[in-house]
Each structure stands twice: as C-alpha cells, then as structure tokens.
C-alpha cells in the first residue's frame, strides 16, 4: 500500500467538502486581548479575535500572570511526574480544594485537560460498574462520546435536552441496572442550556447517577462562577460536575468534582489519571488565582453579559441572523461549509477580524456557522467593526436578512 498517497487522498476529500481546517498563525498579546498578531507569508498584522474561549480574558489577568511567574520561579517548569510518582505538588492540593468548594462538593480531581477528564471519568465509572447503561444527550461533546465508547457499555442516546425522551429510555431499562446520565450545562455550539433540575428529578426517579459537563459555564454563571448548577442551586443534586481550566479560567487543565468516594474511585482506577504526568505547578497556581478572583468578583461576568447583549442588539439592527439562546455564545448561521470558510477568510483578510468557521463534524452538515464569543474586553468600537463587516459581506454574498 502507498500510505502517503492514501493519507493525501483522504485529505483531498476534506478539501472537496470545504471542511479542511487551516489554522491562523496567531500570537496572543498579553495586555491587549482580544488583539493578536496574525503571522502571514506577507508579514505580521494586528487582528481582533472574536472566537476565543478565553471568555473573560483571564489568560492575561495580571494576578494570574503574577501567580504563574511566582510558582514558576519557586517550583520550576514541570511537575516531575505523575501524581502517584513525585508529581503531586502543593498547588495541586490547593487547586483541588478550591474546585471542590467552587462546586459545593467534598472533593475534586485534576486532569491534564477537560477532554481527558471527560474521557477518563466516563470510561472509568461506566466500565467499572458491571451492566452499567449510559444515557447520553445527543449533542454531547466528542470527549464524552469517546469516553463512553471506550467503556464498552450499552449507551442510549436521548434527544437533545428532551426530558420526556430520557424518561422513556430509562423506563425501558432493567430497574436494577446501574445507570449514568451524561449531559452538558451550556452546549457549546448552539449555546442552549440543559433543564438540569428536571434531569436530576428523572435521575432520582430511576436511581441514576448524573454527570454534568460545565465546561462552557464555569467562571461565567452563578454568584461565584460555579456554572449553571451554581446559579440554579443544584450543585448538590449532581453526582459529578466536570469542568475545564482552559476556557473562562484562561489557563489549561480539566477536573471533576464529586463526593470523596467518587473522586477517590476515579483517582484509584482511571488509567488517564494514574499514568499521565501532572499539570505544571505554575499552571495550577495560575488556575487557582483565576478561580479565586472570579469567585469574589462578578464584574467580569456582568460586563461579559453586557457585551453579549450589545452584540446581539446590533446584529439584529443590521438584520444579521443569529441563533437565539440564553447564553454568551452567539452563533451566526451560514448553513454552507464553503461559504462559511469564505466569509471567515474575508473577515480576516479584509477586515482584520478573526472568527473561525465551524463546520462538520463539530456541528451537523447544513448548520455551518460563525461562532462568535464576545468578552468583557471587546469595546463598542470592536462590536461596531464586526457588525459592519458582517453586514457588508452579507450584502456581497446575498445571504438572507431578518426582517
Ligand atoms: C472544550 C470542551 C471540553 C474539553 O476541554 P479542554 O480543557 O479544552 O480539553 C470538554 N467539553 C466541552 C463541552 C468542551 O467544549
């Protein structure tokens, strides 16, 4: 077999479908967020980033940077191993205590990313309970789906946010079988929010565990940034609350929170925790500071919501349609992969605005979109520049406008 040729043909297939991914070569500028330098063959150019998941700009917060510098100088670059072998640092211990408190849980466990925390925890919990059946929302993130697949347990996919469908699927199952319901708080592509209380009610009726991914909500919602479950006073009803340190907290890493026993179980049986080196202490210190700051300060959350509302209002005035949802994610629908990529290229090349196109398999075919994420640091002028650019492009390519 000609392997190179095979790989090339597969890549050509992606290009034909208009979903070959090209990464913009960006250099984030601390202190200037959401500005970044775009490196191109013809030189360097300043752009405004409108699709960052550093939702609050905490990745450049002076307190976070100072904490990371200090820990770097005190502890050095790496953790020195897995948590089992020399890798547990005092910052990891402090960070886990902070996360447990954030979600009102007894304990927390760190992973190297949110992806790994979902993959590892779901696969470990489900595979270690004989006969376990997983109930999975149909729009769950790839990291959850991969973890469930790896568990090799029976999985029933329920319709998105559909409590009646979940209940009916649970009713079909053996009453005594262990069951685990996996879902998200804020869905990252449509920006809609799960009926968490109702799902917990159904879980109680059927004796099921609940696993909630709060990746797109921690730091952003709730009086202390504990996510949607915090805002709605539901933290204690969930078996596991999972999150990331890489989005609103602006650093890197993932975690779960739950009872002492659940966290200890995952800590003791999960390959993806046991056999992977720990996060660098400086990273843990940065995340710790970011979480502490956002627990005490609602200013960033309020300004964030204000920027989201302002952008939506101006898009409406310009007739640029966007999905209505109750979160901070503003999906502007294009519904064609090639056009979506073209618009994104035009925004970058002509207007110095960076919004990555979102195509299959991240979203279903025919629902391609620009996923816009305003931050507290986007100014009125930034918003006007974005809306004007989109409006001009919409006129040029003949995309439909709202009345
Ligand atoms: C980004 C994301 C993750 C993974 O988190 P990372 O820390 O980026 O690995 C998990 N779940 C959802 C819903 C996500 O969007």
């Amino acid at each position: 077999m000609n392997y190179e040729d095979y790989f090339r043909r597969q890549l050509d297939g992606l290009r034909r479908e208009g979903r070959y991914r090209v990464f913009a070569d960006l250099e984030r500028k601390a202190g200037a967020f959401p500005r970044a330098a775009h490196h191109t063959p013809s030189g360097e150019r300043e752009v405004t980033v409108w699709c960052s998941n550093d939702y609050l700009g905490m990745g450049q917060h002076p307190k976070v940077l100072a904490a990371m510098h200090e820990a770097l100088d005190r502890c050095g670059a790496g953790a020195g191993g897995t948590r089992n072998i020399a890798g547990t640092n005092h910052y990891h211990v402090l960070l886990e205590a902070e996360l447990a408190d954030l979600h009102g849980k007894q304990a927390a466990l760190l992973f190297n990313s949110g992806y790994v925390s979902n993959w590892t925890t779901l696969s470990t919990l489900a595979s270690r309970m004989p006969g376990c059946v997983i109930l999975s929302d149909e729009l769950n993130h790839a990291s959850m789906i991969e973890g469930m697949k790896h568990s090799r347990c029976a999985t029933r996919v329920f319709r998105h946010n559909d409590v009646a469908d979940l209940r009916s699927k649970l009713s079909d199952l053996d009453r005594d079988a262990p069951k685990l319901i996996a879902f998200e708080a804020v869905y990252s592509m449509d920006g809609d929010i799960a009926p968490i209380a109702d799902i917990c009610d159904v879980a109680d009726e059927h004796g099921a565990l609940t696993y909630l991914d709060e990746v797109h909500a921690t730091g952003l919602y709730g009086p202390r940034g504990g996510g949607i479950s915090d805002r709605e006073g539901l933290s204690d009803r969930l078996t596991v609350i999972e999150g990331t340190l890489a989005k609103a907290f602006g650093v890197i890493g993932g975690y779960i929170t739950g009872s002492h026993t659940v966290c200890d179980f995952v800590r003791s049986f999960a390959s993806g925790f046991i056999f992977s080196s720990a996060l660098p202490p400086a990273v843990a210190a940065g995340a710790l500071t970011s979480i502490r700051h956002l627990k005490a300060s609602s200013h960033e959350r309020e300004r964030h919501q204000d920027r989201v509302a302002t952008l939506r209002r101006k898009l409406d005035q310009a007739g640029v349609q966007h999905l209505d949802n109750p979160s901070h994610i503003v999906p502007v629908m294009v519904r064609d992969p090639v056009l979506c990529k073209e618009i994104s290229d035009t925004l970058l090349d002509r207007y110095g605005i960076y919004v990555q196109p979102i195509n299959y398999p991240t979203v279903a075919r025919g629902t391609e979109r620009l996923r816009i994420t305003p931050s507290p640091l986007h100014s009125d002028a930034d918003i006007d520049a974005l809306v004007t650019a989109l409006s001009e492009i919409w006129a040029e390519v003949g995309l439909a406008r709202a009345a």
Side-chain angles (χ1 to χ4, degrees):
M1 175 164 167
N2 184 334
Y3 298 106
E4 282 288 314
D5 195 48
Y6 173 80
F7 297 142
R8 219 172 284 124
R9 279 203 310 271
Q10 294 289 310
L11 290 169
D12 287 343
L14 290 182
R15 285 196 188 86
R16 268 197 306 279
E17 282 187 54
R19 58 186 187 92
Y20 177 75
R21 293 168 192 244
V22 181
F23 299 152
D25 181 354
L26 299 176
E27 192 178 331
R28 283 158 60 94
K29 291 186 186 163
F33 186 88
R35 244 49 85 188
H38 181 212
H39 293 266
T40 72
S42 54
E44 193 186 306
R45 181 167 171 233
E46 188 177 87
V47 297
T48 303
V49 178
W50 271 104
C51 55
S52 177
N53 281 340
D54 183 358
Y55 289 124
L56 302 177
M58 291 304 287
Q60 66 165 21
H61 196 286
K63 284 205 245 174
V64 173
L65 301 193
M68 293 186 76
H69 281 297
E70 193 198 326
L72 182 65
D73 290 339
R74 271 163 68 151
C75 304
T82 66
R83 292 288 293 279
N84 287 290
I85 305 176
T88 293
N89 193 281
H90 189 54
Y91 287 111
H92 298 127
V93 177
L94 293 177
L95 177 54
E96 286 178 340
E98 198 69 40
L99 287 165
D101 175 72
L102 176 68
H103 293 292
K105 296 289 187 197
Q106 291 174 349
L109 192 66
L110 288 169
F111 298 84
N112 291 337
S113 71
Y115 188 102
V116 176
S117 64
N118 273 336
W119 198 106
T120 300
T121 306
L122 285 170
S123 68
T124 303
L125 286 178
S127 68
R128 296 242 164 212
M129 289 190 286
C132 180
V133 182
I134 306 174
L135 293 111
S136 172
D137 187 285
E138 68 179 330
L139 291 190
N140 274 340
H141 189 256
S143 55
M144 298 166 89
I145 296 169
E146 293 296 331
M148 297 184 240
K149 271 193 202 155
H150 185 74
S151 78
R152 300 208 181 122
C153 289
T155 302
R156 303 269 186 282
V157 176
F158 61 94
R159 281 199 297 273
H160 177 55
N161 279 349
D162 187 334
V163 179
D165 190 43
L166 171 63
R167 181 180 277 116
S168 117
K169 294 212 154 63
L170 277 163
S171 304
D172 291 343
L173 301 175
D174 177 357
R175 279 180 57 89
D176 298 324
K179 302 167 194 79
L180 194 165
I181 304 170
F183 63 117
E184 298 181 22
V186 175
Y187 285 82
S188 63
M189 292 301 146
D190 288 352
D192 54 342
I193 294 178
I196 301 176
D198 295 343
I199 291 177
C200 289
D201 288 345
V202 180
D204 290 348
E205 284 164 30
H206 293 269
L209 300 180
T210 47
Y211 183 101
L212 178 64
D213 174 318
E214 284 265 23
V215 161
H216 291 279
T218 41
L220 303 177
Y221 298 93
R224 302 190 310 155
I228 302 293
S229 53
D230 179 28
R231 183 181 79 183
E232 298 181 358
L234 297 169
S235 302
D236 63 331
R237 298 200 61 196
L238 294 145
T239 315
V240 174
I241 298 176
E242 181 270 349
T244 182
L245 305 172
K247 290 173 184 169
F249 295 129
V251 192
I252 189 75
Y255 66 88
I256 58 164
T257 62
S259 70
H260 278 305
T261 312
V262 164
C263 290
D264 198 22
F265 184 84
V266 177
R267 184 184 74 90
S268 305
F269 287 107
S271 175
F273 174 80
I274 298 171
F275 297 106
S276 189
S277 294
L279 290 171
V283 165
L288 179 66
T289 302
S290 182
I291 295 164
R292 280 184 179 159
H293 176 83
L294 290 175
K295 265 183 183 170
S297 167
S298 287
H299 168 73
E300 291 80 1
R301 282 186 281 280
E302 284 159 13
R303 171 87 181 153
H304 185 221
Q305 292 300 325
D306 169 76
R307 299 289 77 193
V308 172
T310 303
L311 173 64
R312 284 184 204 274
R313 201 176 60 243
K314 295 206 166 168
L315 286 173
D316 287 341
Q317 283 163 5
V320 174
Q321 292 180 17
H322 50 98
L323 273 193
D324 191 22
N325 69 46
S327 77
H328 58 284
I329 294 161
V330 185
V332 170
M333 306 305 284
V334 179
R335 303 183 194 282
D336 178 275
V338 176
L339 186 57
C340 197
K341 171 87 174 71
E342 256 175 48
I343 293 173
S344 167
D345 288 345
T346 305
L347 280 171
L348 188 59
D349 299 339
R350 199 191 296 164
Y351 298 94
I353 289 172
Y354 176 57
V355 190
Q356 181 73 3
I358 306 278
N359 288 351
Y360 177 83
T362 309
V363 295
R365 293 181 208 269
T367 71
E368 293 79 8
R369 67 196 67 185
L370 301 170
R371 176 184 178 274
I372 301 175
T373 53
S375 79
L377 297 158
H378 285 92
S379 66
D380 284 339
D382 291 333
I383 292 176
D384 288 341
L386 172 67
V387 174
T388 302
L390 286 173
S391 195
E392 286 177 13
I393 296 171
W394 255 231
E396 223 168 87
V397 302
L399 266 165
R401 305 247 187 177

